[in-house]
């Protein structure tokens, strides 16, 4: 009997929340537990920004770095915990390493990216584990790099399951058998050269699922600042309803289309071992969760609204007015893959091919540079990708009125549109 808990960054971002986290853990402490934490608040974005500033030689780098450091040090001060005297210099040391890492040489941008963004989880797991220890928990903090082994596909690494399993048995199991509370970092791994890798943005959920699979956990609980999985973002839609029960299949579909349910890779390792996933409301831990398991329910058929902002639509047409055929497509996809662009929607017509993806200045520039010799390229930014699952005509109408539709794709259950 064992549970894996995952706490996202928003839940760790104040002293009050961390105190509540301790309360949640003690409420559920009748079973052994592995706790997976993300970076605190918006730290991963802030770290991405530091790397961007460094690359552009932007003079704002030192001040942004100090802001991030002060944010963490202030949080520690607000916790007023025993152990603060040791924790402060330890966190300052990690920040010093971060500064050095920003100035290191790397094989490529992606390797640099993983090295820099990993500091968020490294800092949060240290703060969380020290805080829990100050509350008299017996805590074992295990760096993810010692457990999650991956290939070297930086920024979107794949887990090497047999090595990870071996590490879990050697490092996590003894701690559990010793009645220790294991705290580890989500999102991170290490390749066979010991270099830090990451599993993809929002990948902490996936880390929790990997550990649950290997440990044969009885369940996994993802704690959220919403009461469960809703059919739409409750911050944007007043009438959003909570879904009580979803099948693995529906959850995979929702995650695939970008619902902020759980990271898309999360479900498969759980489905393999039939481990149920609960999404629970951090601020009211005992209200009923959303349960994702083998059994679906009528909730599957409720319409679901998924919005991804900040999309680019890139349209390519061949310079000699050829049809866009297999040879062109393979060149386009090779470029997208080399630049680690994840395509959200694609569509082709006789002479053009369009893809949309999350806006990223560096990737967009690089893709355009690599393709501009062979293709005419047009693009639009600041688009919204709307996905309606189990749509109705009137629902579609409501969303598109007054907007321009740049692209539309429909099948029996799902419609996707790029809007502005
Ligand atoms: N901190 C990482 C991110 O923001 C991973 C996660 O939160 O799951 O993408
Ligand atoms: Mg997150």
């Amino acid at each position: 009997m064992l549970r894996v808990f995952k706490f996202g960054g928003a839940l760790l971002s104040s002293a009050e929340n961390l105190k509540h986290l301790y309360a949640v853990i003690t409420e559920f402490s009748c079973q052994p537990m592995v706790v997976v934490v993300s970076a605190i608040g918006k730290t991963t974005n802030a770290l991405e920004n530091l790397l961007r500033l460094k690359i552009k030689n932007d003079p704002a780098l030192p001040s942004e770095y100090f802001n991030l450091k002060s944010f963490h040090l202030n949080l520690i001060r607000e916790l007023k915990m025993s152990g603060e005297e040791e924790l402060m210099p330890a966190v300052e040391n990690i920040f010093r390493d971060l500064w050095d890492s920003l100035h290191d040489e790397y094989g490529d941008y992606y390797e640099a990216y993983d090295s820099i963004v990993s500091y968020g989880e490294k800092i949060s797991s240290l703060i969380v584990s020290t805080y829990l220890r100050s509350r008299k928990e017996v805590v074992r903090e295990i760096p993810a790099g010692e457990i999650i082994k991956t290939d070297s596909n930086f920024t979107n690494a794949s887990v090497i399951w047999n090595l990870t399993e071996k590490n879990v048995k050697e490092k996590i199991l003894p701690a559990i058998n010793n009645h220790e509370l294991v705290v580890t970092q989500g999102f991170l791994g290490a390749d066979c050269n010991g270099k830090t890798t990451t599993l993809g943005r929002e990948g902490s959920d996936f880390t929790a699922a990997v550990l649950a699979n290997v440990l044969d956990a009885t369940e996994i609980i993802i704690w959220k600042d919403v009461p469960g999985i809703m059919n739409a973002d409750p911050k944007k839609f007043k009438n959003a309803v909570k879904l009580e029960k979803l099948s693995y299949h529906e959850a995979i579909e929702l995650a695939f289309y970008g619902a902020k349910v759980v990271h898309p890779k999360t479900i498969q390792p759980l489905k393999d071992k039939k481990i149920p996933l609960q999404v629970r409301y951090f601020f009211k831990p005992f209200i009923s969760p959303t349960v994702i398991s083998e059994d679906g329910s009528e909730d599957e058929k409720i319409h679901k609204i998924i919005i991804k902002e900040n999309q680019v639509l890139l349209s390519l047409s061949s310079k000699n007015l050829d049809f866009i055929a297999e040879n062109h497509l393979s060149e386009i996809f090779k470029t997208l893959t080399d630049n680690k662009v994840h395509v959200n929607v694609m569509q082709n017509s006789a002479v053009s091919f369009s893809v949309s993806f999350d806006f990223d200045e560096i990737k967009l520039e690089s893709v355009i540079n690599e393709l501009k010799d062979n293709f005419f390229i047009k693009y639009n930014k600041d688009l919204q990708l709307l996905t309606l699952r189990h749509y109705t005509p009137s629902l579609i109408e409501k969303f598109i009125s007054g907007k321009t539709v740049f692209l539309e794709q429909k099948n029996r259950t799902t419609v996707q549109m790029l809007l502005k």
Side-chain angles (χ1 to χ4, degrees):
M1 297 281 275
L2 178 135
R3 285 196 183 104
V4 178
F5 277 18
K6 182 255 166 172
F7 294 96
L11 307 181
L12 311 172
S13 61
S14 69
E16 205 182 316
N17 282 6
L18 286 172
K19 288 175 186 168
H20 185 62
L21 181 144
Y22 168 71
V24 169
I25 284 180
T26 43
E27 290 286 358
F28 284 79
S29 63
C30 55
Q31 266 185 37
M33 201 186 290
V34 173
V35 172
V36 175
V37 292
S38 297
I40 299 176
K42 300 260 176 254
T43 299
T44 309
N45 291 352
L47 290 163
E48 276 184 351
N49 190 39
L50 292 185
L51 180 60
R52 197 180 59 86
L53 297 174
K54 168 68 183 67
I55 290 170
K56 301 208 148 192
N57 269 322
D58 191 312
L61 177 64
S63 63
E64 291 298 316
Y65 163 85
F66 281 113
N67 286 346
L68 187 62
K69 181 163 138 178
S70 317
F71 166 76
H72 284 89
L73 297 182
N74 285 339
L75 176 64
I76 298 172
R77 271 183 215 109
E78 277 168 33
L79 279 166
K80 296 193 186 9
M81 60 171 145
S82 62
E84 183 184 321
E85 317 71 48
E86 293 92 52
L87 181 58
M88 280 290 197
V91 170
E92 293 202 47
N93 262 333
I94 302 183
F95 270 95
R96 226 165 284 133
D97 288 347
L98 164 62
W99 185 257
D100 293 343
S101 298
L102 279 163
H103 296 84
D104 273 348
E105 295 284 326
Y106 295 93
D108 64 14
Y109 167 75
Y110 303 104
E111 187 187 330
Y113 178 96
D114 280 359
S115 164
I116 300 306
V117 299
S118 71
Y119 281 90
E121 272 73 11
K122 287 177 184 161
I123 299 162
S124 69
S125 69
L126 178 62
I127 295 178
V128 170
S129 54
T130 310
Y131 175 65
L132 293 174
R133 227 172 260 135
S134 79
R135 305 296 303 261
K136 305 279 176 279
E137 292 290 325
V138 185
V139 180
R140 176 93 61 112
E141 186 202 358
I142 308 182
E146 292 181 15
I147 309 284
I148 308 287
K149 282 295 154 203
T150 70
D151 63 10
S152 305
N153 183 16
F154 296 105
T155 73
N156 193 17
S158 297
V159 169
I160 303 174
W161 283 86
N162 58 343
L163 298 181
T164 300
E165 195 162 349
K166 182 168 164 280
N167 292 336
V168 166
K169 293 203 168 120
E170 282 173 17
K171 304 202 167 156
I172 297 189
L173 276 185
I176 289 169
N177 292 336
N178 211 19
H179 308 289
E180 291 167 297
L181 173 65
V182 174
V183 175
T184 189
Q185 302 138 351
F187 181 49
L188 311 184
D191 71 4
C192 293
N193 303 313
K195 287 188 177 161
T196 300
T197 55
T198 63
L199 307 173
R201 283 301 310 263
E202 306 298 329
S204 296
D205 296 340
F206 178 51
T207 304
V210 170
L211 296 178
N213 174 299
V214 175
L215 287 160
D216 282 310
T218 40
E219 65 189 3
I220 158 173
I221 303 184
I222 294 189
W223 294 92
K224 292 248 177 204
D225 59 357
V226 286
I229 297 177
M230 317 284 285
N231 73 327
D233 182 349
K235 288 171 193 141
K236 292 189 187 135
F237 297 91
K238 282 195 306 296
N239 301 333
V241 293
K242 189 174 119 196
L243 308 166
E244 300 289 333
K245 253 174 111 177
L246 290 177
S247 63
Y248 292 122
H249 178 85
E250 182 72 4
I252 286 178
E253 294 275 356
L254 292 176
F256 169 81
Y257 287 118
K260 294 213 166 61
V261 181
V262 287
H263 187 275
K265 291 186 201 164
T266 310
I267 306 296
Q268 199 60 47
L270 302 175
K271 187 169 181 273
D272 282 349
K273 293 234 172 139
K274 299 191 173 59
I275 300 168
L277 180 154
Q278 296 187 5
V279 177
R280 273 188 183 270
Y281 190 22
F282 181 67
F283 298 105
K284 290 188 180 156
F286 292 107
I287 65 167
S288 69
T290 299
V291 181
I292 298 172
S293 68
E294 292 218 287
D295 322 316
S297 72
E298 288 299 303
D299 288 356
E300 312 267 306
K301 296 187 196 113
I302 296 176
H303 71 264
K304 296 165 187 105
I305 303 164
I306 303 163
I307 295 176
K308 265 173 156 298
E309 303 286 357
N310 212 5
Q311 298 295 301
V312 197
L313 176 65
L314 187 73
S315 298
L316 305 143
S317 49
S318 142
K319 285 209 166 160
N320 45 19
L321 283 184
D322 269 358
F323 290 134
I324 293 274
E326 286 73 6
N327 56 333
H328 295 115
L329 290 177
S330 72
E331 180 185 349
I332 295 168
F333 275 100
K334 176 159 187 327
T335 307
L336 293 170
T337 313
D338 289 350
N339 286 286
K340 311 215 183 206
V341 170
H342 172 77
V343 173
N344 293 325
V345 209
M346 59 184 127
Q347 200 165 62
N348 66 332
S349 67
V351 290
S352 86
F353 180 71
S354 299
V355 285
S356 98
F357 48 88
D358 297 357
F359 174 70
D360 175 315
E361 202 181 326
I362 294 171
K363 291 182 182 179
L364 178 63
E365 265 176 33
S366 158
V367 167
I368 292 176
N369 273 329
E370 288 174 35
L371 292 172
K372 69 174 189 294
D373 290 341
N374 293 343
F375 298 92
F376 290 119
I377 301 178
K378 286 189 296 191
Y379 68 89
N380 299 82
K381 291 198 298 192
D382 298 322
L383 304 181
Q384 184 185 63
L385 174 60
L386 170 72
T387 303
L388 301 173
R389 230 176 121 64
H390 308 292
Y391 60 86
T392 57
S394 64
L395 191 65
I396 296 179
E397 201 38 53
K398 198 173 120 202
F399 276 96
I400 62 175
S401 89
K403 297 212 171 137
T404 310
V405 181
F406 284 74
L407 180 152
E408 179 183 316
Q409 239 168 45
K410 224 186 219 170
N411 64 26
R412 267 181 238 100
T413 48
T414 309
V415 57
Q416 290 197 285
M417 290 176 287
L418 276 167
L419 304 172
K420 188 159 183 165

